[in-house]
């Protein structure tokens, strides 16, 4: 998201639940003694790493910021001072393979532009490090598959940064849908967008972003439909509108799409880089409805149910929570719920949405 738009997000400061018993993975050389924290290296020190992930790492009980990968020497110096990172745990994108010798680093969190996820994940995996990768997994299905294959081949774990899979208010809505608390789920309306600034940023470049608002924030609406239905869409009809053909020459500005699911649920979603104020969803059920607005912020997500009950669960820092969970997965060799396969499935659907726009007709999956 755009810098200012992101700053409008409400930060949460609550403590993070979950302790850690580090047992180590068989055959993998962990530097940490049992009970100590897993070392996380951040690859890409942009807005998300600086403002969300590095502060979140300070709140985790089973992870610590142990290394950095950056192309900017001045940033390296600043981060070394701020977080006490040693020069031997500081890498450039070209020296990532040297991490193989660094036992202080267990996990690499890839936070670079979308089309750089593949090379950076490949480098981290080849160095024997577990990988957490930001969304969307990659810019097309083939590259997403290659990324997953690289982790499998290296025998390392892969998780995708779907923070709302760990956010209590979103997960309460999943419970309402699954347990049919207000009847059967029938329709979902989900929207996310912001008015994007700087026309020179990578988010507006197709080769780095893969697409525009859909790839960046539309994926959250897709995740909502995936979480609430527990299904894959089978039919998609999409359309795009551009009001600024110069700024959005390479990528989509506003996308609106409808999806049908096997159970009969129908969803309407919209993503935009043209306007602020859309960041929520409403789910209609046979006996009422439930809704979150906002649903997609870093903190402060809340909503209501048709029976008058408020949905407003105090939550921990979403990035700390997802990292705690991934560290637990690594430690206990438990599969993560935010798997590479889920990442590929989402990219497939995003590609089908673009296909429908291009063909000017619905597509089936
Ligand atoms: P950003 O532009 O602020 O940071 C990107 C970083 O990548 C910068 O440090 C930049 O120097 C580096 N970089 C390396 N090679 C580059 C190149 N060729 N072009 C441009 N930058 C290059 O972006 P960001 O907002 O931090 O987003 C990074 C990733 O995180 C993206 O995949 C994005 O989708 C994802 N993201 C996720 C969330 C979330 O809520 N989970 C929020 C924001 C961003």
């Amino acid at each position: 998201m755009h810098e200012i738009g992101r700053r409008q997000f409400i930060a949460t400061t609550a403590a993070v639940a979950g302790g850690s018993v580090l047992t180590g993975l068989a055959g993998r050389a962990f530097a940490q003694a049992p009970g100590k924290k897993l070392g996380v290296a951040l690859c890409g020190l942009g807005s998300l790493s600086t403002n969300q992930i590095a502060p979140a790492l300070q709140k985790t009980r089973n992870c610590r910021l142990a290394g950095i990968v950056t192309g900017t020497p001045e940033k390296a110096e600043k981060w070394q001072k701020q977080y006490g990172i040693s020069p031997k745990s500081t890498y450039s994108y070209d020296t990532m393979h040297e991490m193989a010798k660094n036992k202080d680093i267990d996990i690499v969190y890839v936070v670079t532009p979308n089309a750089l996820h593949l090379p950076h994940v490949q480098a981290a995996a080849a160095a024997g490090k577990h990988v957490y990768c930001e969304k969307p997994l990659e810019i097309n299905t083939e590259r997403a598959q290659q990324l997953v294959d690289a982790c499998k081949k290296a025998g390392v774990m892969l998780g995708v940064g779907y923070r709302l899979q760990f956010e209590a208010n979103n997960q309460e809505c999943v419970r309402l849908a699954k347990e049919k608390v207000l009847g059967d789920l029938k329709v979902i309306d989900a929207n996310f967008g912001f008015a994007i600034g700087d026309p020179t940023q990578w988010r507006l470049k197709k080769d780095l972003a893969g697409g525009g608002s859909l790839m960046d924030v539309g994926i959250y609406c897709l995740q909502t439909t995936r979480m609430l239905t527990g299904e894959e869409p089978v039919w998609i009809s999409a359309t795009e509108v551009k009001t600024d053909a110069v700024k959005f020459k390479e990528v989509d500005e506003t996308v609106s799409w409808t999806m049908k699911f096997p159970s009969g649920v129908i969803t309407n979603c919209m993503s935009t880089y043209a306007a602020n104020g859309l960041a929520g969803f409403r789910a209609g059920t046979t006996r009422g409805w439930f809704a979150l607005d906002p649903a997609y912020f870093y903190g402060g997500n809340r909503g209501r149910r048709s029976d008058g009950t408020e949905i407003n669960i105090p939550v921990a820092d979403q990035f700390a929570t997802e990292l705690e969970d991934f560290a637990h997965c690594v430690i206990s060799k438990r599969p993560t719920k935010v798997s590479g396969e889920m990442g590929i499935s989402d990219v497939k659907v995003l590609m089908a949405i673009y296909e429908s726009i291009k063909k000017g007709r619905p597509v089936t999956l």
Side-chain angles (χ1 to χ4, degrees), residues 244-257:
D244 186 339
V246 176
K247 189 168 185 177
F248 301 103
K249 185 168 171 245
E250 296 186 30
V251 300
D252 51 279
E253 180 184 321
T254 299
V255 176
S256 171
W257 75 101

Side-chain angles (χ1 to χ4, degrees), residues 6 46-48 75 114 117 134-135 163 202-203 220:
R6 288 190 195 292
S47 169
L48 189 67
K75 267 192 209 170
N114 307 342
H117 292 176
E134 261 310 326
K135 43 56 62 177
R163 56 187 168 81
W202 67 264
R203 281 185 166 78
Y220 288 92

Side-chain angles (χ1 to χ4, degrees), residues 92-303:
S92 73
Y93 300 110
D94 297 330
T95 62
M96 282 178 77
H97 59 278
E98 291 172 14
M99 272 185 198
K101 291 177 272 175
N102 191 336
K103 291 182 177 178
D104 282 342
I105 295 170
D106 302 296
I107 297 168
V108 177
Y109 192 158
V110 175
V111 201
T112 47
N114 307 342
L116 299 178
H117 292 176
L118 175 60
H120 295 154
V121 169
Q122 281 172 327
K129 306 303 175 187
H130 301 289
V131 182
Y132 210 66
C133 181
E134 261 310 326
K135 43 56 62 177
L137 194 53
E138 249 292 342
I139 60 166
N140 61 45
T141 313
E142 295 71 31
R143 289 176 68 88
Q145 184 67 58
Q146 283 173 40
L147 188 157
V148 170
D149 290 346
C151 293
K152 279 200 183 130
K153 187 174 165 218
V156 299
M157 289 190 71
L158 170 66
V160 187
Y162 289 130
R163 56 187 168 81
L164 298 176
Q165 295 272 355
F166 302 95
E167 200 272 342
N169 292 286
N170 279 265
Q171 292 312 308
E172 169 63 3
C173 291
V174 173
R175 185 188 72 81
L176 296 177
K178 271 195 183 147
E179 295 178 9
K180 303 181 190 293
V181 175
L182 297 157
D184 290 337
L185 179 66
K186 290 292 179 184
V187 292
I188 304 168
D189 192 73
N191 309 292
F192 196 11
F194 65 101
I196 199 163
D198 180 8
T200 65
Q201 64 185 288
W202 67 264
R203 281 185 166 78
L204 300 174
K205 297 192 166 77
K206 186 151 197 291
D207 59 345
L208 282 171
S213 68
L214 180 67
M215 298 291 286
D216 193 22
V217 288
I219 194 169
Y220 288 92
C221 305
L222 174 59
Q223 275 276 311
T224 292
T225 65
R226 177 184 295 292
M227 287 195 285
L228 296 185
T229 63
E231 295 180 324
E232 294 288 327
V234 290
W235 181 97
I236 294 173
S237 178
T239 189
E240 190 212 343
V241 169
K242 267 194 218 299
T243 60
D244 186 339
V246 176
K247 189 168 185 177
F248 301 103
K249 185 168 171 245
E250 296 186 30
V251 300
D252 51 279
E253 180 184 321
T254 299
V255 176
S256 171
W257 75 101
T258 301
M259 296 187 286
K260 288 189 205 171
F261 289 78
S263 59
V265 171
I266 186 159
T267 68
N268 279 321
C269 301
M270 185 184 286
S271 66
T272 185
Y273 270 165
N276 296 306
L278 298 178
F281 69 79
R282 176 177 280 253
T285 59
T286 46
R287 287 191 280 108
W289 53 266
F290 55 89
L292 288 185
D293 190 5
Y296 304 128
F297 286 2
Y298 295 147
N301 296 324
R302 66 172 72 86

